[in-house]
Amino acid sequence: MKITILKRKKELKYGAVIASLLSILFGITIYLVIIGLFGVNLVEAINILGKSFISPTIMKDFLIIYVMGCGLLLSFKASLWNIGGEGQFYIAMIPGIVITLLLFNPETSSTTVPAFIVVLLVIITGSVVGAVWAAVAGTLKAFMNIDEVPVTLILNYIAYYLVNHLVSGPLKGKKTYGYLRTDEIPGIYRLNIILPITRTGNQFEEAVYSFLTQVSYYIALLVTAIAISVFTWWLFKYTKLGLYIKIMGSNPEYLYATGVNTKMLTLLIMALSGSIIGLSGSLYLLVEWGRIPYGIQSHTPGYGYLAILASWLSMLDHRLLPVSAYLVAGLRNTGLSIKIAGLGDTEQTLIILGSVLLGYSITRFIADYEVKIR
Amino acid sequence: MNTGTLRRVVLSINNISKTFPGGITAIEEINLDLYEGEIVALLGENGSGKSTLVKILYGVYTPDSGEIKILTGDKLSRVNFGNPVDAMKHGIILVNQTPQLIDKLSVAENIAITLSTLRSRDHSGFTSISETSKLLKEVSESTGIRVDPNEKAYNLTYSQKQFIELLRAIIVNAKIFLLDEALSYLPIAEKKRFYDILYSLKNSGKTVLLITHKIQEAFDLSDRIVILRKGRIVGVLETKNTTVDEVRRLMFGETNNKYIINNNWSNPEEEHVIEVEDLAVRDDHGREVLSNITFCVGKGEIAGIIGVAGSGQRELVESIVGLRKPIRGKITLAGVDVVRKGIKAVREAGVGYIPDQPLKQGIACDNSIVENIAIMFSSNPILINWDIVKEKAVEIVKNYNVQSKSIDSPVKTLSGGNIMKVIIGKELSYAKQALIACNPTRALDELSANNLVSVLKYKAHAEKLSVLIASEDIDEVLTISDAVYVLNSGRLIGPFQPSKVPRERIEELMVA
């Protein structure tokens, strides 16, 4: 008897989608079995899991992970492994905090520059700083052939320490009641739309309202996510750069032989990837944080790494990225809910993530290959 | 067939079929018996399924259906190969067109790896270098091929490497030798020595399956000719009882009037499109492989540079298009100072390039045919007009007879010959001033190769395209060129007018 594995001649219909859904089911089942062995109430755990994936609070994480995932996907498709999303995300916040605090006079609560120009300036400078941060790794890769993986990873730590140094030094706030953090961005620059709290007594109506509240609060992130999504689609469908990125990922030597300057292209792709991530960083500052806290890396769930996971889970297919970003955001939400419910620590979500990835590997294998016993 | 009654079947292929992802059927219901002590030539046009069949026999691909039986003792036993080591253990070995030796290792080390791999499967231990050297010496004496077991593989010529591959096959005691275009680029003298060894293998009861697209080679060497067409066997012929025309008809389904090439030599114009002056170039190992190279190619002229493999052709064409920095010298191509401006300016000047390593520099196999074409035929610096590009892709696929399901198929789903046709098609369509090519007809069947020669001649003579072809194939260069140069040990000799210099003289200069 011999087991033979052959690639399927025809792709399974909806194979990728079915593989994703089955892998989630697989991951959750494994997770439940494990926590069940530790005596956790499974009914309660399932309830939390279910609610976490449909909770309106998933919105922020989903949008941030999705936008960053799009940025990473650009470089990953070119086989440029930008692992530095974390650093590019945080470093991009610095110009935002400097610009908003410099241009606003707290004594008179006024500014000479219109708010929308300041916001635009924050977003543009954030993107530029993110691009420059990623371009450092791009330059080393293009001109000295230094592997971008360790470089981008090291740049994450440099960004952590640099931002923390600035927050505890030159940018340390004056109205922070002794806390180590920057002053808060003036409200006129915040991009949230806050709906009033409404209680109707009807559970369904309240759920819909809660969802709308989240949407309006994070409307800037939503608009950006839609814009970046359209941009990514357009880039790969209609532009030369999109085609260059795809061919760079499969055969850069061919690209070079056709006359394309692959060194400059490497630099450009890394910068473009960093600029999208930088954009998400500056928006996070304007929409969510409003200030930069000290010990920056411990104040987020590590969006840079979660976005890598989402990007890989999508098999570098931008059409599947919303699904994988939602999945990753849902699991992050689950972790928080588990902790709040006292069923364990947030690290438990890592069990689900690991199991989902394992399940995904298995289901993708089954979707792509057939096993014959001869 | 009386052959079968006299000798035993050593390999029996029964109803073998293989379809690749994307629904491309490579071979269908192949039935073939190979006998001990015979040489069988497997012929077929590009994409006919020759390589797929060989890879199945060597355990690289698994067939979808059918069975392979091998003579074990006195009876045929069914085998399932999971990988090439399984095939080698059953006495089947493959010698490729490209030698598979590891350059940094010595000859003995290379062979010891193969022997140790086979023995580790049997748990019969490791093969030492001294033991391998001893075996090499024995085989070297019996075949008459002199080999230094301690010589590093990168110091060997192409021919020497091919002989080592053959010796390796003899040392592992192969019963069935699969030669996949293994003789294609050997110079005449070496080819004849190779023939002698194959005849002696045949006389000692070994079986040789020779895969080739050169009809003459099949006639020179084989006892039987098997012809594949569109994945099916369309003819099994006794070589002595058939004719070249019969074989061509079965291979291509066409008559022989398409094989005659119009040899009207052009009179190139005075204007030089390619000018090379005192060029010196290093190879990948840092050795100076070319020195004092000076020549020029006129507008509308086809210049051919012939040399045995490893003479520096690859380094020469890479320097001329700007992919390799020379040590010294001056190159002007289509008005571009190549050394200073590089490949980008060369391409922008309308120069086509068919590289020596087509899969490395000529195409992106993971991308579709149309994407590979789009990268060169999109004039807008930002956007791609897919309607225009698709039209171009359809035109290239049609004109160069690329056998593919669609222009959106990934290139990796095509056969080697069809991949070459895509490369040739796009580069010839792109070239407006000059075409620089290395071994352009390699991997092409006779009909496709002749079509290419005709197109090249038309482009040069009617459209005034300047063409430089570097090749290891003397027939290719003599057929196509207006002027011939010989490259030997990094020195360029010539030019010669092909009609005025005897072929033997060119061969002498190649190996002198």
Side-chain angles (χ1 to χ4, degrees):
Chain A
M1 187 184 75
K2 199 147 195 168
I3 296 169
T4 310
I5 298 161
L6 294 169
K7 197 155 170 63
R8 287 187 189 278
K9 285 160 208 153
K10 279 186 185 172
E11 278 184 18
L12 285 183
K13 213 173 181 184
Y14 311 117
V17 177
I18 292 168
S20 299
L21 293 175
L22 284 177
S23 62
I24 296 169
L25 267 178
F26 177 84
I28 289 169
T29 309
I30 295 284
Y31 166 71
L32 290 174
V33 168
I34 292 171
I35 61 167
L37 291 173
F38 284 95
V40 173
N41 183 340
L42 290 184
V43 176
E44 203 180 337
I46 291 169
N47 192 23
I48 288 170
L49 266 169
K51 280 183 178 168
S52 298
F53 273 89
I54 55 167
S55 161
T57 54
I58 203 172
M59 181 72 71
K60 174 194 69 181
D61 288 343
F62 163 66
L63 293 172
I64 281 290
I65 292 169
Y66 177 67
V67 174
M68 291 176 81
C70 282
L72 293 176
L73 192 127
L74 289 187
S75 65
F76 291 172
K77 267 184 122 52
S79 290
L80 293 169
W81 306 106
N82 177 11
I83 311 296
E86 277 279 281
Q88 292 143 31
F89 181 73
Y90 292 126
I91 205 79
M93 293 179 183
I94 295 296
I97 211 83
V98 172
I99 289 167
T100 50
L101 294 178
L102 269 183
L103 294 179
F104 189 79
N105 186 345
E107 306 290 321
T108 58
S109 290
S110 64
T111 173
T112 49
V113 184
F116 80 94
I117 290 181
V118 175
V119 168
L120 210 60
L121 211 56
V122 169
I123 291 171
I124 291 169
T125 51
S127 299
V128 170
V129 168
V132 169
W133 204 250
V136 172
T139 308
L140 293 172
K141 169 80 177 179
F143 298 99
M144 298 169 84
N145 202 24
I146 296 174
D147 197 314
E148 72 281 12
V149 174
V151 175
T152 47
L153 202 58
I154 290 164
L155 282 170
N156 284 347
Y157 288 92
I158 295 174
Y160 291 154
Y161 294 126
L162 183 60
V163 173
N164 286 336
H165 170 72
L166 291 171
V167 170
S168 60
L171 295 178
K172 188 180 167 190
K174 295 176 183 74
K175 301 170 192 165
T176 57
Y177 310 104
Y179 287 106
L180 264 181
R181 61 191 185 203
T182 65
D183 280 329
E184 202 156 336
I185 289 174
I188 55 165
Y189 305 134
R190 301 294 296 269
L191 296 177
N192 317 95
I193 298 173
I194 302 167
L195 296 181
I197 296 166
T198 306
R199 296 264 176 243
T200 63
N202 181 321
Q203 265 196 334
F204 178 73
E205 279 178 11
E206 282 190 6
V208 171
Y209 191 77
S210 171
F211 177 75
L212 290 174
T213 307
Q214 289 286 316
V215 170
S216 64
Y217 192 80
Y218 293 115
I219 191 77
L221 280 180
L222 181 65
V223 170
T224 306
I226 292 169
I228 292 292
S229 179
V230 172
F231 169 75
T232 310
W233 167 80
W234 173 80
L235 183 82
F236 285 117
K237 179 109 179 148
Y238 293 109
T239 71
K240 242 178 166 175
L241 178 62
L243 183 60
Y244 285 171
I245 290 173
K246 284 196 265 181
I247 293 186
M248 181 85 171
S250 58
N251 190 353
E253 280 195 59
Y254 169 55
L255 204 58
Y256 182 59
T258 60
V260 174
N261 186 337
T262 47
K263 287 182 178 173
M264 290 308 289
L265 185 66
T266 300
L267 190 56
L268 178 66
I269 294 168
M270 286 297 280
L272 188 59
S273 172
S275 74
I276 292 173
I277 296 165
L279 168 70
S280 65
S282 54
L283 279 172
Y284 198 76
L285 180 72
L286 295 174
V287 171
E288 182 67 5
W289 271 358
R291 63 182 171 224
I292 306 177
Y294 181 78
I296 194 165
Q297 65 273 29
S298 57
H299 284 79
T300 66
Y303 285 124
Y305 299 116
L306 291 177
I308 293 172
L309 191 65
S311 195
W312 282 345
L313 265 179
S314 74
M315 302 293 284
L316 306 188
D317 184 340
H318 61 272
R319 292 166 302 182
L320 283 178
L321 190 58
V323 179
S324 60
Y326 186 82
L327 168 67
V328 173
L331 291 174
R332 134 101 178 138
N333 215 20
T334 305
L336 289 176
S337 304
I338 285 169
K339 191 174 183 181
I340 292 164
L343 296 180
D345 214 335
T346 48
E347 276 73 22
Q348 281 195 23
T349 51
L350 295 176
I351 301 174
I352 309 178
L353 273 175
S355 309
V356 169
L357 277 175
L358 176 67
Y360 193 70
S361 308
I362 296 168
T363 50
R364 272 311 294 229
F365 176 80
I366 295 168
D368 292 345
Y369 295 89
E370 52 185 325
V371 180
K372 282 184 178 175
I373 299 169
R374 291 166 159 260
Chain B
M1 191 188 306
N2 61 7
T3 321
T5 56
L6 296 172
R7 287 172 292 181
R8 293 184 300 174
V9 173
V10 286
L11 178 82
S12 181
I13 302 164
N14 302 311
N15 290 314
I16 291 283
S17 298
K18 176 77 184 172
T19 302
F20 286 109
I24 300 148
T25 302
I27 52 172
E28 214 170 349
E29 292 177 9
I30 298 289
N31 289 291
L32 180 67
D33 286 343
L34 298 182
Y35 298 91
E36 62 182 358
E38 73 164 345
I39 299 176
V40 176
L42 185 62
L43 282 171
E45 62 179 330
N46 294 137
S48 59
K50 303 186 295 287
S51 292
T52 303
L53 179 59
V54 168
K55 283 176 180 166
I56 287 172
L57 295 179
Y58 197 52
V60 178
Y61 294 153
T62 308
D64 298 335
S65 59
E67 60 177 19
I68 298 168
K69 287 180 176 174
I70 284 212
L71 185 68
T72 316
D74 287 332
K75 62 172 189 164
L76 286 168
S77 312
R78 184 178 166 163
V79 286
N80 287 311
F81 299 146
N83 52 54
V85 179
D86 282 350
M88 277 196 269
K89 275 185 67 183
H90 284 86
I92 299 179
I93 198 149
L94 174 71
V95 179
N96 263 307
Q97 179 177 292
T98 316
Q100 304 294 303
L101 302 178
I102 301 167
D103 267 352
K104 285 184 178 172
L105 301 184
S106 70
V107 172
E109 285 166 341
N110 265 290
I111 293 175
I113 287 176
T114 311
L115 286 170
S116 297
T117 308
L118 285 173
R119 287 187 180 179
S120 69
R121 289 287 179 101
D122 298 335
H123 308 289
S124 54
F126 176 76
T127 310
S128 69
I129 305 297
S130 57
E131 190 186 343
T132 311
S133 300
K134 205 176 141 198
L135 284 169
L136 252 173
K137 205 177 162 197
E138 284 169 20
V139 179
S140 173
E141 276 167 14
S142 67
T143 55
I145 300 167
R146 272 194 280 171
V147 178
D148 176 3
N150 300 317
E151 188 67 84
K152 296 282 182 198
Y154 62 74
N155 281 328
L156 303 175
T157 64
Y158 174 81
S159 305
Q160 286 170 323
K161 284 182 181 176
Q162 283 300 70
F163 279 118
I164 303 291
E165 292 279 4
L166 191 59
L167 293 188
R168 168 153 65 182
I170 296 168
I171 288 171
V172 301
N173 202 20
K175 288 184 289 188
I176 300 162
F177 293 69
L178 308 175
L179 306 184
D180 192 357
E181 306 281 3
L183 311 176
S184 297
Y185 296 107
L186 290 176
I188 303 294
E190 270 88 345
K191 200 178 268 189
K192 281 176 183 160
R193 286 179 71 198
F194 219 100
Y195 282 9
D196 290 340
I197 299 170
L198 293 180
Y199 287 137
S200 73
L201 286 171
K202 173 189 152 181
N203 292 336
S204 63
K206 311 285 187 190
T207 305
V208 177
L209 182 63
L210 172 76
I211 294 90
T212 181
H213 58 262
K214 295 194 171 181
I215 296 175
Q216 194 52 50
E217 200 167 87
F219 275 87
D220 286 348
L221 203 57
S222 70
D223 301 304
R224 286 192 296 153
I225 295 175
V226 177
I227 297 161
L228 272 178
R229 190 159 172 229
K230 292 181 179 163
R232 287 177 174 273
I233 290 181
V234 291
V236 180
L237 311 164
E238 293 283 335
T239 309
K240 60 184 177 195
N241 297 332
T242 189
T243 62
V244 172
D245 278 349
E246 168 76 358
V247 170
R248 278 181 181 154
R249 190 185 58 75
L250 286 168
M251 272 176 80
F252 305 111
E254 294 182 22
T255 52
N256 68 352
N257 58 4
K258 288 207 171 186
Y259 306 92
I260 300 159
I261 295 164
N262 181 11
N263 269 345
N264 54 336
W265 306 112
S266 77
N267 293 312
E269 294 178 8
E270 287 295 306
E271 186 190 336
H272 292 157
V273 176
I274 304 168
E275 283 179 320
V276 176
E277 205 180 312
D278 192 28
L279 185 72
V281 180
R282 286 202 174 92
D283 68 4
D284 296 339
H285 302 289
R287 293 173 304 191
E288 188 172 326
V289 283
L290 298 172
S291 51
N292 304 110
I293 303 288
T294 300
F295 68 96
C296 54
V297 183
K299 195 171 181 181
E301 184 183 14
I302 304 177
I305 295 180
I306 178 79
V308 294
S311 300
Q313 294 102 314
R314 179 162 69 86
E315 289 81 2
L316 179 63
V317 293
E318 284 180 359
S319 308
I320 290 173
V321 296
L323 286 172
R324 186 179 287 264
K325 207 96 182 148
I327 308 167
R328 61 180 175 276
K330 196 180 168 201
I331 306 163
T332 310
L333 175 55
V336 174
D337 179 349
V338 178
V339 180
R340 214 161 55 84
K341 299 222 167 152
I343 178 85
K344 190 171 189 287
V346 167
R347 289 300 217 162
E348 281 169 359
V351 175
Y353 171 53
I354 300 170
D356 180 47
Q357 297 169 299
L359 298 183
K360 213 173 162 195
Q361 294 176 337
I363 207 148
C365 287
D366 287 337
N367 297 85
S368 66
I369 297 172
V370 70
E371 282 177 338
N372 272 282
I373 287 167
I375 203 163
M376 298 179 71
F377 291 92
S378 191
S379 50
N380 187 310
I382 294 171
L383 297 175
I384 296 170
N385 186 333
W386 284 107
D387 290 336
I388 293 174
V389 170
K390 281 183 177 175
E391 221 171 88
K392 191 82 197 166
V394 169
E395 181 191 312
I396 288 172
V397 164
K398 191 177 160 220
N399 287 351
Y400 292 89
N401 191 26
V402 178
Q403 286 162 29
S404 162
K405 281 201 114 177
S406 129
I407 55 168
D408 295 313
S409 302
V411 169
K412 65 185 172 190
T413 60
L414 306 180
S415 73
N418 280 301
I419 291 176
M420 201 64 205
K421 286 181 194 173
V422 174
I423 296 172
I424 289 167
K426 72 180 170 61
E427 294 298 336
L428 263 172
S429 305
Y430 183 79
K432 295 288 172 271
Q433 291 222 55
L435 177 81
I436 311 294
C438 204
N439 296 309
T441 62
R442 173 165 55 189
L444 293 186
D445 57 56
E446 190 183 31
L447 185 61
S448 308
N450 288 347
N451 281 341
L452 171 64
V453 172
S454 303
V455 174
L456 272 179
K457 280 178 176 285
Y458 175 80
K459 288 245 173 198
H461 302 162
E463 295 179 7
K464 296 297 168 198
L465 185 77
S466 298
V467 181
L468 176 71
I469 288 177
S471 177
E472 293 139 20
D473 187 336
I474 192 164
D475 296 318
E476 178 182 73
V477 169
L478 291 178
T479 313
I480 208 166
S481 310
D482 300 322
V484 173
Y485 296 84
V486 176
L487 192 61
N488 185 352
S489 307
R491 303 267 169 183
L492 197 67
I493 311 153
F496 305 102
Q497 203 172 326
S499 55
K500 291 187 177 164
V501 64
R503 181 196 167 99
E504 291 71 26
R505 174 73 186 134
I506 300 282
E507 283 182 9
E508 267 172 33
L509 288 170
M510 284 168 71
V511 293

